[in-house]
Short mmCIF file of all heavy atoms in Angstrom, two decimals:
data_model
loop_
_atom_site.label_atom_id
_atom_site.label_comp_id
_atom_site.label_asym_id
_atom_site.label_seq_id
_atom_site.Cartn_x
_atom_site.Cartn_y
_atom_site.Cartn_z
N MET M 366 -110.91 175.71 3.88
CA MET M 366 -111.92 174.71 3.52
C MET M 366 -111.99 173.65 4.63
O MET M 366 -110.96 173.14 5.06
CB MET M 366 -111.54 174.04 2.18
CG MET M 366 -112.51 172.95 1.79
SD MET M 366 -112.05 172.13 0.25
CE MET M 366 -112.29 173.44 -0.90
N SER M 367 -113.20 173.36 5.07
CA SER M 367 -113.37 172.36 6.13
C SER M 367 -113.15 170.95 5.59
O SER M 367 -113.17 170.72 4.37
CB SER M 367 -114.77 172.47 6.74
OG SER M 367 -115.73 171.94 5.83
N ARG M 368 -112.97 170.02 6.49
CA ARG M 368 -112.79 168.63 6.05
C ARG M 368 -114.04 168.12 5.36
O ARG M 368 -113.96 167.33 4.41
CB ARG M 368 -112.45 167.77 7.27
CG ARG M 368 -111.08 168.05 7.83
CD ARG M 368 -110.82 167.29 9.11
NE ARG M 368 -110.96 165.86 8.92
CZ ARG M 368 -111.09 164.99 9.93
NH1 ARG M 368 -111.12 165.41 11.17
NH2 ARG M 368 -111.19 163.71 9.68
N LEU M 369 -115.20 168.58 5.83
CA LEU M 369 -116.45 168.14 5.20
C LEU M 369 -116.54 168.67 3.77
O LEU M 369 -116.92 167.94 2.83
CB LEU M 369 -117.65 168.63 6.03
CG LEU M 369 -119.02 168.11 5.59
CD1 LEU M 369 -119.08 166.59 5.66
CD2 LEU M 369 -120.11 168.72 6.46
N GLU M 370 -116.16 169.94 3.59
CA GLU M 370 -116.17 170.51 2.24
C GLU M 370 -115.13 169.83 1.34
O GLU M 370 -115.37 169.63 0.15
CB GLU M 370 -115.89 172.01 2.31
CG GLU M 370 -117.05 172.78 2.90
CD GLU M 370 -116.67 174.21 3.24
OE1 GLU M 370 -115.51 174.45 3.69
OE2 GLU M 370 -117.51 175.10 3.08
N SER M 371 -114.00 169.47 1.95
CA SER M 371 -112.98 168.77 1.18
C SER M 371 -113.50 167.42 0.71
O SER M 371 -113.26 167.00 -0.43
CB SER M 371 -111.73 168.60 2.07
OG SER M 371 -110.75 167.84 1.39
N MET M 372 -114.25 166.73 1.57
CA MET M 372 -114.83 165.45 1.19
C MET M 372 -115.84 165.64 0.07
O MET M 372 -115.87 164.86 -0.90
CB MET M 372 -115.51 164.79 2.39
CG MET M 372 -116.03 163.40 2.10
SD MET M 372 -116.73 162.63 3.57
CE MET M 372 -118.44 162.90 3.28
N ARG M 373 -116.65 166.68 0.17
CA ARG M 373 -117.63 166.94 -0.89
C ARG M 373 -116.93 167.22 -2.22
O ARG M 373 -117.35 166.74 -3.27
CB ARG M 373 -118.52 168.14 -0.51
CG ARG M 373 -119.51 168.49 -1.62
CD ARG M 373 -120.47 169.56 -1.20
NE ARG M 373 -119.79 170.82 -0.90
CZ ARG M 373 -120.42 171.90 -0.47
NH1 ARG M 373 -121.72 171.90 -0.28
NH2 ARG M 373 -119.75 173.01 -0.21
N ARG M 374 -115.85 167.96 -2.16
CA ARG M 374 -115.10 168.28 -3.39
C ARG M 374 -114.53 167.00 -4.02
O ARG M 374 -114.59 166.81 -5.23
CB ARG M 374 -113.97 169.26 -3.07
CG ARG M 374 -113.24 169.73 -4.31
CD ARG M 374 -112.27 170.82 -4.01
NE ARG M 374 -111.15 170.35 -3.20
CZ ARG M 374 -110.06 171.05 -2.96
NH1 ARG M 374 -109.93 172.27 -3.45
NH2 ARG M 374 -109.09 170.56 -2.22
N ARG M 375 -114.01 166.11 -3.18
CA ARG M 375 -113.44 164.86 -3.69
C ARG M 375 -114.52 163.99 -4.33
O ARG M 375 -114.35 163.45 -5.42
CB ARG M 375 -112.75 164.11 -2.55
CG ARG M 375 -112.15 162.78 -2.96
CD ARG M 375 -111.36 162.13 -1.83
NE ARG M 375 -112.14 161.89 -0.63
CZ ARG M 375 -113.02 160.89 -0.48
NH1 ARG M 375 -113.21 160.04 -1.48
NH2 ARG M 375 -113.68 160.74 0.63
N LEU M 376 -115.66 163.87 -3.65
CA LEU M 376 -116.74 163.04 -4.18
C LEU M 376 -117.33 163.64 -5.47
O LEU M 376 -117.65 162.92 -6.42
CB LEU M 376 -117.84 162.85 -3.13
CG LEU M 376 -117.44 162.02 -1.92
CD1 LEU M 376 -118.56 162.02 -0.88
CD2 LEU M 376 -117.11 160.59 -2.33
N THR M 377 -117.45 164.97 -5.49
CA THR M 377 -117.96 165.63 -6.69
C THR M 377 -117.02 165.40 -7.87
O THR M 377 -117.47 165.10 -8.98
CB THR M 377 -118.13 167.14 -6.44
OG1 THR M 377 -119.08 167.32 -5.39
CG2 THR M 377 -118.62 167.86 -7.68
N ALA M 378 -115.72 165.49 -7.61
CA ALA M 378 -114.74 165.26 -8.68
C ALA M 378 -114.84 163.81 -9.17
O ALA M 378 -114.75 163.53 -10.37
CB ALA M 378 -113.33 165.56 -8.17
N GLN M 379 -115.05 162.88 -8.24
CA GLN M 379 -115.15 161.47 -8.61
C GLN M 379 -116.39 161.24 -9.47
O GLN M 379 -116.33 160.58 -10.51
CB GLN M 379 -115.22 160.61 -7.34
CG GLN M 379 -114.99 159.15 -7.57
CD GLN M 379 -114.88 158.39 -6.26
OE1 GLN M 379 -115.47 158.77 -5.25
NE2 GLN M 379 -114.12 157.33 -6.26
N ILE M 380 -117.52 161.78 -9.06
CA ILE M 380 -118.77 161.62 -9.82
C ILE M 380 -118.64 162.29 -11.18
O ILE M 380 -119.03 161.71 -12.22
CB ILE M 380 -119.96 162.21 -9.03
CG1 ILE M 380 -120.22 161.36 -7.78
CG2 ILE M 380 -121.21 162.30 -9.90
CD1 ILE M 380 -121.18 162.01 -6.79
N ASP M 381 -118.12 163.51 -11.21
CA ASP M 381 -117.96 164.22 -12.49
C ASP M 381 -117.04 163.44 -13.43
O ASP M 381 -117.30 163.37 -14.64
CB ASP M 381 -117.39 165.62 -12.25
CG ASP M 381 -118.40 166.56 -11.61
OD1 ASP M 381 -119.59 166.18 -11.51
OD2 ASP M 381 -117.98 167.65 -11.17
N GLY M 382 -115.98 162.85 -12.89
CA GLY M 382 -115.05 162.09 -13.72
C GLY M 382 -115.70 160.85 -14.31
O GLY M 382 -115.52 160.55 -15.49
N ILE M 383 -116.46 160.14 -13.49
CA ILE M 383 -117.14 158.93 -14.00
C ILE M 383 -118.19 159.32 -15.02
O ILE M 383 -118.33 158.67 -16.06
CB ILE M 383 -117.77 158.14 -12.83
CG1 ILE M 383 -116.68 157.58 -11.93
CG2 ILE M 383 -118.67 157.03 -13.36
CD1 ILE M 383 -117.21 156.96 -10.64
N ASN M 384 -118.94 160.39 -14.73
CA ASN M 384 -119.96 160.82 -15.70
C ASN M 384 -119.33 161.22 -17.02
O ASN M 384 -119.86 160.90 -18.10
CB ASN M 384 -120.77 161.99 -15.12
CG ASN M 384 -121.67 161.55 -13.97
OD1 ASN M 384 -121.85 160.37 -13.74
ND2 ASN M 384 -122.20 162.52 -13.26
N TRP M 385 -118.21 161.91 -16.95
CA TRP M 385 -117.51 162.30 -18.18
C TRP M 385 -117.08 161.06 -18.97
O TRP M 385 -117.28 160.98 -20.19
CB TRP M 385 -116.28 163.15 -17.85
CG TRP M 385 -115.44 163.43 -19.05
CD1 TRP M 385 -115.62 164.40 -19.99
CD2 TRP M 385 -114.30 162.65 -19.48
NE1 TRP M 385 -114.67 164.29 -20.98
CE2 TRP M 385 -113.85 163.24 -20.69
CE3 TRP M 385 -113.63 161.55 -18.96
CZ2 TRP M 385 -112.74 162.74 -21.37
CZ3 TRP M 385 -112.54 161.05 -19.64
CH2 TRP M 385 -112.11 161.65 -20.83
N ALA M 386 -116.51 160.08 -18.26
CA ALA M 386 -116.05 158.87 -18.93
C ALA M 386 -117.23 158.12 -19.54
O ALA M 386 -117.14 157.63 -20.68
CB ALA M 386 -115.30 157.98 -17.93
N ALA M 387 -118.32 158.02 -18.81
CA ALA M 387 -119.50 157.30 -19.31
C ALA M 387 -120.06 157.97 -20.56
O ALA M 387 -120.41 157.29 -21.54
CB ALA M 387 -120.56 157.22 -18.22
N GLU M 388 -120.13 159.30 -20.56
CA GLU M 388 -120.62 160.02 -21.73
C GLU M 388 -119.67 159.86 -22.91
O GLU M 388 -120.09 159.74 -24.06
CB GLU M 388 -120.81 161.50 -21.40
CG GLU M 388 -121.99 161.76 -20.48
CD GLU M 388 -121.98 163.18 -19.92
OE1 GLU M 388 -121.30 164.06 -20.49
OE2 GLU M 388 -122.66 163.39 -18.90
N THR M 389 -118.38 159.84 -22.62
CA THR M 389 -117.38 159.76 -23.68
C THR M 389 -117.43 158.40 -24.39
O THR M 389 -117.28 158.32 -25.61
CB THR M 389 -115.97 160.00 -23.10
OG1 THR M 389 -115.95 161.29 -22.50
CG2 THR M 389 -114.90 159.93 -24.18
N ILE M 390 -117.65 157.33 -23.62
CA ILE M 390 -117.64 156.01 -24.24
C ILE M 390 -119.03 155.55 -24.68
O ILE M 390 -119.15 154.51 -25.31
CB ILE M 390 -117.03 154.94 -23.30
CG1 ILE M 390 -117.91 154.72 -22.07
CG2 ILE M 390 -115.60 155.31 -22.92
CD1 ILE M 390 -117.54 153.50 -21.26
N ALA M 391 -120.05 156.31 -24.36
CA ALA M 391 -121.43 155.91 -24.69
C ALA M 391 -121.60 155.54 -26.16
O ALA M 391 -122.25 154.55 -26.48
CB ALA M 391 -122.41 156.99 -24.26
N PRO M 392 -121.03 156.30 -27.11
CA PRO M 392 -121.22 155.96 -28.52
C PRO M 392 -120.35 154.79 -28.99
O PRO M 392 -120.52 154.34 -30.13
CB PRO M 392 -120.84 157.24 -29.27
CG PRO M 392 -120.26 158.17 -28.29
CD PRO M 392 -120.31 157.56 -26.94
N LEU M 393 -119.47 154.30 -28.17
CA LEU M 393 -118.55 153.23 -28.58
C LEU M 393 -119.09 151.87 -28.17
O LEU M 393 -119.81 151.75 -27.18
CB LEU M 393 -117.18 153.44 -27.92
CG LEU M 393 -116.52 154.80 -28.14
CD1 LEU M 393 -115.25 154.91 -27.31
CD2 LEU M 393 -116.22 155.01 -29.63
N ASN M 394 -118.73 150.85 -28.92
CA ASN M 394 -119.07 149.48 -28.55
C ASN M 394 -118.02 148.93 -27.59
O ASN M 394 -116.91 149.42 -27.54
CB ASN M 394 -119.14 148.59 -29.78
CG ASN M 394 -120.30 148.96 -30.67
OD1 ASN M 394 -121.39 149.24 -30.18
ND2 ASN M 394 -120.08 148.96 -31.97
N GLY M 395 -118.42 147.88 -26.87
CA GLY M 395 -117.45 147.19 -26.04
C GLY M 395 -117.79 147.21 -24.57
O GLY M 395 -118.71 147.91 -24.14
N ASP M 396 -117.05 146.39 -23.83
CA ASP M 396 -117.27 146.30 -22.39
C ASP M 396 -116.56 147.44 -21.67
O ASP M 396 -115.74 148.15 -22.24
CB ASP M 396 -116.74 144.97 -21.87
CG ASP M 396 -117.50 143.78 -22.44
OD1 ASP M 396 -118.57 144.00 -23.04
OD2 ASP M 396 -117.01 142.64 -22.29
N VAL M 397 -116.89 147.54 -20.39
CA VAL M 397 -116.28 148.57 -19.53
C VAL M 397 -115.43 147.85 -18.49
O VAL M 397 -115.80 146.78 -17.99
CB VAL M 397 -117.38 149.40 -18.84
CG1 VAL M 397 -116.78 150.41 -17.86
CG2 VAL M 397 -118.25 150.10 -19.87
N LEU M 398 -114.29 148.41 -18.16
CA LEU M 398 -113.41 147.83 -17.14
C LEU M 398 -113.15 148.86 -16.05
O LEU M 398 -112.73 149.98 -16.33
CB LEU M 398 -112.08 147.42 -17.77
CG LEU M 398 -110.99 146.94 -16.81
CD1 LEU M 398 -111.43 145.66 -16.09
CD2 LEU M 398 -109.68 146.73 -17.54
N GLU M 399 -113.46 148.47 -14.83
CA GLU M 399 -113.13 149.33 -13.69
C GLU M 399 -111.98 148.70 -12.92
O GLU M 399 -112.04 147.53 -12.53
CB GLU M 399 -114.30 149.54 -12.74
CG GLU M 399 -113.88 150.41 -11.55
CD GLU M 399 -114.99 150.71 -10.55
OE1 GLU M 399 -115.89 149.89 -10.40
OE2 GLU M 399 -114.92 151.79 -9.93
N LEU M 400 -110.94 149.47 -12.70
CA LEU M 400 -109.79 149.01 -11.93
C LEU M 400 -109.94 149.52 -10.50
O LEU M 400 -109.94 150.72 -10.27
CB LEU M 400 -108.50 149.55 -12.55
CG LEU M 400 -108.29 149.25 -14.04
CD1 LEU M 400 -107.05 149.97 -14.56
CD2 LEU M 400 -108.19 147.77 -14.28
N GLY M 401 -110.09 148.60 -9.56
CA GLY M 401 -110.23 149.00 -8.16
C GLY M 401 -111.68 149.02 -7.74
O GLY M 401 -112.30 150.08 -7.61
N LEU M 402 -112.27 147.84 -7.53
CA LEU M 402 -113.70 147.75 -7.18
C LEU M 402 -113.99 148.32 -5.81
O LEU M 402 -115.00 149.01 -5.62
CB LEU M 402 -114.14 146.28 -7.26
CG LEU M 402 -115.55 145.98 -6.76
CD1 LEU M 402 -116.59 146.64 -7.66
CD2 LEU M 402 -115.78 144.47 -6.68
N GLY M 403 -113.15 148.03 -4.85
CA GLY M 403 -113.42 148.46 -3.47
C GLY M 403 -114.73 147.89 -2.99
O GLY M 403 -115.02 146.70 -3.16
N ASN M 404 -115.55 148.72 -2.38
CA ASN M 404 -116.85 148.24 -1.90
C ASN M 404 -117.95 148.40 -2.96
O ASN M 404 -119.12 148.19 -2.67
CB ASN M 404 -117.25 148.94 -0.59
CG ASN M 404 -117.50 150.43 -0.78
OD1 ASN M 404 -117.60 150.92 -1.91
ND2 ASN M 404 -117.59 151.16 0.30
N GLY M 405 -117.56 148.78 -4.18
CA GLY M 405 -118.51 148.80 -5.29
C GLY M 405 -119.27 150.10 -5.48
O GLY M 405 -120.18 150.17 -6.29
N ARG M 406 -118.88 151.13 -4.78
CA ARG M 406 -119.61 152.41 -4.89
C ARG M 406 -119.53 152.98 -6.31
O ARG M 406 -120.55 153.36 -6.89
CB ARG M 406 -119.02 153.39 -3.87
CG ARG M 406 -119.96 154.46 -3.41
CD ARG M 406 -119.36 155.26 -2.27
NE ARG M 406 -117.89 155.30 -2.33
CZ ARG M 406 -117.11 155.09 -1.29
NH1 ARG M 406 -117.62 154.83 -0.11
NH2 ARG M 406 -115.80 155.15 -1.41
N THR M 407 -118.33 153.03 -6.85
CA THR M 407 -118.19 153.58 -8.19
C THR M 407 -118.74 152.62 -9.24
O THR M 407 -119.26 153.03 -10.27
CB THR M 407 -116.72 153.92 -8.50
OG1 THR M 407 -115.89 152.80 -8.16
CG2 THR M 407 -116.26 155.13 -7.70
N TYR M 408 -118.63 151.32 -8.97
CA TYR M 408 -119.22 150.32 -9.87
C TYR M 408 -120.73 150.53 -9.95
O TYR M 408 -121.32 150.50 -11.04
CB TYR M 408 -118.88 148.92 -9.37
CG TYR M 408 -119.65 147.80 -10.03
CD1 TYR M 408 -119.47 147.51 -11.37
CD2 TYR M 408 -120.56 147.04 -9.30
CE1 TYR M 408 -120.18 146.48 -11.99
CE2 TYR M 408 -121.27 146.02 -9.91
CZ TYR M 408 -121.08 145.75 -11.25
OH TYR M 408 -121.79 144.73 -11.85
N ASP M 409 -121.35 150.75 -8.80
CA ASP M 409 -122.79 150.99 -8.75
C ASP M 409 -123.16 152.24 -9.58
O ASP M 409 -124.15 152.24 -10.32
CB ASP M 409 -123.22 151.17 -7.30
CG ASP M 409 -124.71 151.40 -7.17
OD1 ASP M 409 -125.48 150.48 -7.53
OD2 ASP M 409 -125.12 152.48 -6.74
N HIS M 410 -122.33 153.26 -9.48
CA HIS M 410 -122.60 154.48 -10.26
C HIS M 410 -122.43 154.22 -11.75
O HIS M 410 -123.23 154.70 -12.56
CB HIS M 410 -121.68 155.61 -9.79
CG HIS M 410 -122.05 156.94 -10.35
ND1 HIS M 410 -123.17 157.64 -9.95
CD2 HIS M 410 -121.47 157.71 -11.32
CE1 HIS M 410 -123.25 158.77 -10.64
NE2 HIS M 410 -122.24 158.84 -11.48
N LEU M 411 -121.40 153.46 -12.10
CA LEU M 411 -121.19 153.11 -13.51
C LEU M 411 -122.39 152.33 -14.07
O LEU M 411 -122.83 152.56 -15.19
CB LEU M 411 -119.93 152.26 -13.66
CG LEU M 411 -118.61 152.99 -13.90
CD1 LEU M 411 -117.47 151.99 -13.86
CD2 LEU M 411 -118.64 153.74 -15.22
N ARG M 412 -122.89 151.39 -13.28
CA ARG M 412 -124.05 150.60 -13.72
C ARG M 412 -125.27 151.49 -13.93
O ARG M 412 -126.07 151.27 -14.82
CB ARG M 412 -124.39 149.52 -12.68
CG ARG M 412 -123.39 148.41 -12.67
CD ARG M 412 -123.82 147.20 -11.88
NE ARG M 412 -124.90 147.46 -10.94
CZ ARG M 412 -125.70 146.53 -10.47
NH1 ARG M 412 -125.55 145.29 -10.85
NH2 ARG M 412 -126.63 146.81 -9.61
N ASP M 413 -125.38 152.51 -13.09
CA ASP M 413 -126.50 153.45 -13.23
C ASP M 413 -126.37 154.26 -14.52
O ASP M 413 -127.34 154.53 -15.20
CB ASP M 413 -126.54 154.37 -12.01
CG ASP M 413 -127.68 155.36 -12.08
OD1 ASP M 413 -128.84 154.93 -11.87
OD2 ASP M 413 -127.42 156.55 -12.35
N ARG M 414 -125.12 154.64 -14.84
CA ARG M 414 -124.89 155.49 -16.02
C ARG M 414 -124.82 154.70 -17.31
O ARG M 414 -125.09 155.24 -18.38
CB ARG M 414 -123.58 156.29 -15.84
CG ARG M 414 -123.66 157.31 -14.73
CD ARG M 414 -124.77 158.29 -15.05
NE ARG M 414 -125.32 158.87 -13.85
CZ ARG M 414 -125.51 160.16 -13.67
NH1 ARG M 414 -125.19 161.01 -14.63
NH2 ARG M 414 -126.04 160.60 -12.56
N LEU M 415 -124.44 153.44 -17.22
CA LEU M 415 -124.30 152.61 -18.42
C LEU M 415 -125.07 151.30 -18.20
O LEU M 415 -124.48 150.21 -18.12
CB LEU M 415 -122.81 152.32 -18.69
CG LEU M 415 -121.94 153.55 -18.97
CD1 LEU M 415 -120.46 153.20 -18.86
CD2 LEU M 415 -122.25 154.14 -20.33
N PRO M 416 -126.40 151.37 -18.11
CA PRO M 416 -127.19 150.21 -17.71
C PRO M 416 -127.15 149.04 -18.69
O PRO M 416 -127.40 147.91 -18.29
CB PRO M 416 -128.61 150.77 -17.57
CG PRO M 416 -128.62 152.01 -18.40
CD PRO M 416 -127.22 152.55 -18.36
N ASN M 417 -126.82 149.29 -19.94
CA ASN M 417 -126.84 148.23 -20.93
C ASN M 417 -125.45 147.71 -21.30
O ASN M 417 -125.30 146.98 -22.27
CB ASN M 417 -127.57 148.71 -22.19
CG ASN M 417 -129.00 149.09 -21.88
OD1 ASN M 417 -129.71 148.37 -21.17
ND2 ASN M 417 -129.43 150.25 -22.36
N ARG M 418 -124.47 148.10 -20.53
CA ARG M 418 -123.10 147.68 -20.82
C ARG M 418 -122.64 146.63 -19.82
O ARG M 418 -122.96 146.70 -18.63
CB ARG M 418 -122.14 148.89 -20.74
CG ARG M 418 -122.45 149.98 -21.72
CD ARG M 418 -122.14 149.58 -23.13
NE ARG M 418 -120.74 149.72 -23.43
CZ ARG M 418 -120.21 150.85 -23.90
NH1 ARG M 418 -120.95 151.91 -24.14
NH2 ARG M 418 -118.92 150.91 -24.17
N ARG M 419 -121.84 145.69 -20.33
CA ARG M 419 -121.21 144.74 -19.41
C ARG M 419 -120.01 145.43 -18.78
O ARG M 419 -119.18 146.02 -19.49
CB ARG M 419 -120.78 143.48 -20.16
CG ARG M 419 -120.14 142.47 -19.25
CD ARG M 419 -120.11 141.09 -19.82
NE ARG M 419 -119.47 141.05 -21.12
CZ ARG M 419 -119.27 139.93 -21.81
NH1 ARG M 419 -119.70 138.78 -21.35
NH2 ARG M 419 -118.68 139.98 -22.98
N ILE M 420 -119.93 145.35 -17.46
CA ILE M 420 -118.85 146.03 -16.74
C ILE M 420 -118.03 144.98 -15.99
O ILE M 420 -118.56 144.23 -15.16
CB ILE M 420 -119.41 147.07 -15.74
CG1 ILE M 420 -120.30 148.09 -16.46
CG2 ILE M 420 -118.27 147.78 -15.01
CD1 ILE M 420 -121.04 149.04 -15.54
N TRP M 421 -116.76 144.93 -16.31
CA TRP M 421 -115.83 144.05 -15.61
C TRP M 421 -115.13 144.85 -14.53
O TRP M 421 -114.81 146.03 -14.73
CB TRP M 421 -114.78 143.50 -16.58
CG TRP M 421 -115.33 142.68 -17.69
CD1 TRP M 421 -115.81 143.14 -18.89
CD2 TRP M 421 -115.48 141.26 -17.73
NE1 TRP M 421 -116.24 142.10 -19.67
CE2 TRP M 421 -116.05 140.92 -18.98
CE3 TRP M 421 -115.18 140.24 -16.84
CZ2 TRP M 421 -116.32 139.62 -19.36
CZ3 TRP M 421 -115.45 138.94 -17.20
CH2 TRP M 421 -116.02 138.63 -18.45
N VAL M 422 -114.89 144.21 -13.40
CA VAL M 422 -114.20 144.90 -12.32
C VAL M 422 -113.10 144.00 -11.78
O VAL M 422 -113.23 142.78 -11.77
CB VAL M 422 -115.16 145.29 -11.17
CG1 VAL M 422 -116.17 146.31 -11.64
CG2 VAL M 422 -115.87 144.07 -10.61
N ILE M 423 -112.02 144.60 -11.34
CA ILE M 423 -110.97 143.84 -10.68
C ILE M 423 -110.54 144.59 -9.43
O ILE M 423 -110.75 145.80 -9.30
CB ILE M 423 -109.74 143.60 -11.59
CG1 ILE M 423 -109.05 144.92 -11.93
CG2 ILE M 423 -110.11 142.84 -12.82
CD1 ILE M 423 -107.68 144.70 -12.56
N ASP M 424 -109.98 143.85 -8.51
CA ASP M 424 -109.38 144.46 -7.32
C ASP M 424 -108.34 143.50 -6.80
O ASP M 424 -108.48 142.28 -6.92
CB ASP M 424 -110.44 144.74 -6.25
CG ASP M 424 -109.98 145.81 -5.29
OD1 ASP M 424 -109.00 145.58 -4.53
OD2 ASP M 424 -110.57 146.91 -5.29
N ARG M 425 -107.32 144.03 -6.22
CA ARG M 425 -106.27 143.16 -5.68
C ARG M 425 -106.71 142.52 -4.37
O ARG M 425 -106.11 141.56 -3.92
CB ARG M 425 -104.97 143.95 -5.49
CG ARG M 425 -105.09 145.04 -4.46
CD ARG M 425 -103.81 145.81 -4.35
NE ARG M 425 -104.01 146.97 -3.48
CZ ARG M 425 -103.08 147.84 -3.18
NH1 ARG M 425 -101.86 147.68 -3.69
NH2 ARG M 425 -103.32 148.86 -2.40
N ILE M 426 -107.75 143.07 -3.76
CA ILE M 426 -108.27 142.53 -2.50
C ILE M 426 -109.72 142.12 -2.71
O ILE M 426 -110.55 142.92 -3.17
CB ILE M 426 -108.20 143.58 -1.38
CG1 ILE M 426 -106.74 144.00 -1.16
CG2 ILE M 426 -108.81 143.03 -0.09
CD1 ILE M 426 -106.58 145.18 -0.21
N LEU M 427 -110.02 140.85 -2.37
CA LEU M 427 -111.38 140.35 -2.49
C LEU M 427 -112.10 140.61 -1.18
O LEU M 427 -111.73 140.07 -0.14
CB LEU M 427 -111.36 138.86 -2.81
CG LEU M 427 -112.72 138.20 -3.09
CD1 LEU M 427 -113.40 138.86 -4.27
CD2 LEU M 427 -112.54 136.71 -3.33
N GLN M 428 -113.12 141.47 -1.22
CA GLN M 428 -113.86 141.79 0.01
C GLN M 428 -115.06 140.85 0.13
O GLN M 428 -115.66 140.51 -0.87
CB GLN M 428 -114.35 143.24 -0.03
CG GLN M 428 -113.21 144.24 0.01
CD GLN M 428 -113.70 145.66 0.22
OE1 GLN M 428 -114.82 145.87 0.66
NE2 GLN M 428 -112.87 146.62 -0.10
N PRO M 429 -115.41 140.45 1.35
CA PRO M 429 -116.56 139.56 1.55
C PRO M 429 -117.88 140.26 1.23
O PRO M 429 -117.99 141.45 1.29
CB PRO M 429 -116.49 139.20 3.03
CG PRO M 429 -115.66 140.25 3.68
CD PRO M 429 -114.74 140.79 2.62
C1 SAM F 634 -110.01 153.97 -2.81
S1 SAM F 634 -110.59 152.35 -3.31
C2 SAM F 634 -111.81 152.86 -4.48
C3 SAM F 634 -112.94 151.85 -4.61
C4 SAM F 634 -114.05 152.20 -5.58
N1 SAM F 634 -113.55 152.56 -6.92
C5 SAM F 634 -114.94 153.32 -5.04
O1 SAM F 634 -114.58 154.49 -5.09
O2 SAM F 634 -116.01 152.98 -4.53
C6 SAM F 634 -109.27 151.77 -4.36
C7 SAM F 634 -109.34 150.28 -4.67
O3 SAM F 634 -108.36 149.96 -5.66
C8 SAM F 634 -107.75 148.72 -5.33
N2 SAM F 634 -106.44 148.66 -5.95
C9 SAM F 634 -105.37 149.46 -5.71
N3 SAM F 634 -104.31 149.10 -6.46
C10 SAM F 634 -104.73 148.05 -7.21
C11 SAM F 634 -104.08 147.24 -8.18
N4 SAM F 634 -102.79 147.44 -8.52
N5 SAM F 634 -104.79 146.25 -8.78
C12 SAM F 634 -106.07 146.04 -8.42
N6 SAM F 634 -106.74 146.78 -7.51
C13 SAM F 634 -106.07 147.77 -6.90
C14 SAM F 634 -107.72 148.71 -3.81
O4 SAM F 634 -107.65 147.39 -3.30
C15 SAM F 634 -109.05 149.41 -3.46
O5 SAM F 634 -110.09 148.49 -3.27
#
């Protein structure tokens, strides 16, 4: 497997995992918490999948 394919596999697993989590919690009430904001890529995806939910994020490093 090439490095490019390995990257695609990692990103696909990340997207599939977030989508699974979003679908699983969709029927439940409450806020969403993301641990590890980073540059906000996964936060942006969460907002897309759960547009009406309040999403809290934390990170040990505050990026500008
Ligand atoms: C690989 S980045 C992922 C960022 C984001 N979720 C994404 O994929 O776009 C992991 C993030 O988790 C944060 N992090 C790691 N350990 C942490 C901890 N114990 N508490 C808070 N944030 C943490 C890091 O600072 C980093 O920004």
Side-chain angles (χ1 to χ4, degrees):
M366 177 182 293
S367 73
R368 290 174 58 196
L369 187 60
E370 289 168 323
S371 176
M372 185 176 100
R373 177 174 62 182
R374 185 172 68 169
R375 179 174 58 77
L376 292 174
T377 298
Q379 194 172 29
I380 292 168
D381 288 350
I383 293 171
N384 290 348
W385 172 83
E388 288 168 18
T389 301
I390 66 168
L393 305 174
N394 292 319
D396 296 347
V397 176
L398 173 64
E399 178 179 30
L400 306 174
L402 172 66
N404 66 13
R406 206 172 29 226
T407 49
Y408 168 66
D409 181 64
H410 190 72
L411 270 174
R412 288 192 342 158
D413 181 74
R414 293 300 153 130
L415 298 165
N417 300 315
R418 299 290 279 271
R419 180 161 55 177
I420 304 172
W421 298 86
V422 295
I423 65 168
D424 202 294
R425 65 182 172 180
I426 300 171
L427 186 59
Q428 294 190 18

